[in-house]
Amino acid sequence: MKTSANSHFSQSLNTLLKRYSLSEHELLKLRTIDESKIVSLAYTETGGFDIRDGAFYSEEREINYKLKIDYLINGSDRKQTLILLPVSPEEDM
């Protein structure tokens, strides 16, 4: 990620990454947006984000994705969403 333009987002993301461990697959996804500009970073302790459309659900579901990153693809105004940190309700306990 472009640290100068995303310093707040980079710091927040680094804090989350220290707290939670990502799978190798998730780390690869995160690296693909390395040169992109993050426009929004959302994290939740309860509920989760839908993997298909990024919508937030306050109720517990079969799998709750805890991290949502909206970013602009490098060199364009096209917004993309990356959803990470899947947690099942049993893991939360």
Side-chain angles (χ1 to χ4, degrees):
M1 287 149 285
K2 295 179 180 175
T3 29
S4 60
N6 291 307
S7 116
H8 173 71
F9 293 124
S10 294
Q11 290 173 2
S12 298
L13 188 54
N14 284 331
T15 300
L16 287 170
L17 294 177
K18 288 177 187 173
R19 187 172 172 191
Y20 298 98
S21 57
L22 295 178
S23 68
E24 283 299 317
H25 182 68
E26 288 180 308
L27 287 171
L28 286 173
K29 284 182 178 180
L30 194 55
R31 285 186 197 115
T32 63
I33 67 168
D34 194 41
E35 293 297 315
S36 302
K37 180 180 178 185
I38 294 176
V39 294
S40 173
L41 178 68
Y43 171 79
T44 184
E45 289 282 336
T46 60
F49 300 99
D50 188 277
I51 190 72
R52 293 176 300 275
D53 63 8
F56 174 74
Y57 291 90
S58 59
E59 70 275 1
E60 295 298 322
R61 302 172 73 185
E62 187 175 324
I63 297 178
N64 296 292
Y65 290 86
K66 300 298 184 177
L67 179 62
K68 175 182 170 187
I69 303 170
D70 291 328
Y71 62 96
L72 299 177
I73 295 175
N74 195 23
S76 79
D77 290 334
R78 207 172 100 216
K79 186 176 93 169
Q80 296 281 77
T81 299
L82 180 61
I83 307 289
L84 301 170
L85 289 175
V87 176
S88 64
E90 303 85 49
E91 292 177 39
D92 275 345
M93 299 177 155

